Amino acid sequence: MMISTQTLVIFLTTCFFLSATPGPNMLSALSMGMRHGLAGAAWGGIGMCLSLGLLAGLSALGVGVLLKTSPLAFTLFKWVGVAYLTWLGIQAWRAPIRDEAADMDAAMKAGPDRRGQLGLLGQGLLITLSNPKALVFMAAFFPQFIDPERPMAPQLTILVVTMLIIEFGWIMTYAVGGKGLALRLTGPVAQRWLNRMTGALLIGAGLLLAMASL
């Protein structure tokens, strides 16, 4: 067996609680659930998970160590991410009001069209890719669970797939909460507050990213 059962259980438990923490990914998933329903949030979640898989590969190649030793590179990545999340938050805050709650319910059930799917996928990709803390974290986190006496690639594959399954599960859990909240807020005034809550969540995710440090 490439990874011992004990190591895998410890890794799974650690990832479960780390993913549950309301960081930039989960706050973004909550806002996607509020604005786009479960189908839209799923596309955003796929983008986030693709980015996490890419970051895991980059961390294995040592890019995480490079960012950790280069304050300038870390800072540039971080502030690009902060600016992107803040921009998304402002867009959500200023989004137009739907006249009928039924329209919102129908739109959520139908899900985004092809263009919307790709847009949410790209949004998820950028949200996670612009978080340098994730890359630095994985560069320090994964080696704790890898046995140097065994082939690294199969071990890393098992760990990354496990992490992505857990992450996507929590993304959809937050999205369910966001969708439920959105469907309870009907009427122009309530929808205006919904837009503001969505925008505040995204800006809050940006603030969390801004607080990331080496």
Side-chain angles (χ1 to χ4, degrees):
M1 187 174 182
M2 289 299 175
I3 300 179
S4 70
T5 301
Q6 180 181 5
T7 299
L8 191 58
V9 168
I10 294 172
F11 179 81
L12 191 152
T13 303
T14 304
C15 281
F16 182 85
F17 288 106
L18 285 175
S19 292
T21 305
N25 275 11
M26 296 307 151
L27 292 180
S28 298
L30 183 63
S31 71
M32 286 179 181
M34 292 168 70
R35 294 194 69 196
H36 306 288
L38 298 186
W43 281 98
I46 290 170
M48 294 179 202
C49 288
L50 287 174
S51 287
L52 283 175
L54 176 60
L55 292 177
L58 291 175
S59 72
L61 294 174
V63 179
V65 176
L66 174 63
L67 275 183
K68 190 171 183 179
T69 56
S70 175
L72 177 59
F74 184 93
T75 301
L76 286 175
F77 266 92
K78 181 177 72 175
W79 288 108
V80 166
V82 171
Y84 179 65
L85 283 166
T86 302
W87 178 79
L88 289 177
I90 293 171
Q91 293 293 104
W93 185 288
R94 300 173 60 186
I97 305 298
R98 288 188 174 96
D99 292 331
E100 298 292 339
D103 292 342
M104 179 184 290
D105 190 22
M108 285 187 173
K109 288 179 180 178
D113 58 18
R114 187 64 177 174
R115 183 177 179 182
Q117 291 170 353
L118 294 177
L120 288 166
L121 179 70
Q123 184 175 315
L125 281 166
L126 289 173
I127 286 170
T128 302
L129 280 178
S130 60
N131 183 1
K133 192 72 173 179
L135 185 55
V136 174
F137 170 76
M138 281 191 280
F141 182 63
F142 280 109
Q144 311 302 319
F145 300 93
I146 291 178
D147 184 348
E149 300 300 322
R150 298 177 179 179
M152 188 181 78
Q155 294 183 77
L156 190 60
T157 300
I158 292 170
L159 295 176
V160 170
V161 170
T162 300
M163 178 192 69
L164 294 183
I165 291 172
I166 293 171
E167 183 78 4
F168 188 77
W170 275 114
I171 285 170
M172 294 311 296
T173 299
Y174 272 76
V176 167
K179 178 185 176 183
L181 179 60
L183 293 177
R184 285 174 173 79
L185 294 175
T186 59
V189 174
Q191 288 183 43
R192 184 175 295 109
W193 277 106
L194 174 63
N195 288 344
R196 291 178 178 178
M197 288 170 62
T198 304
L201 282 170
L202 289 167
I203 293 171
L207 290 175
L208 286 177
L209 188 56
M211 291 187 289
S213 59
L214 285 170

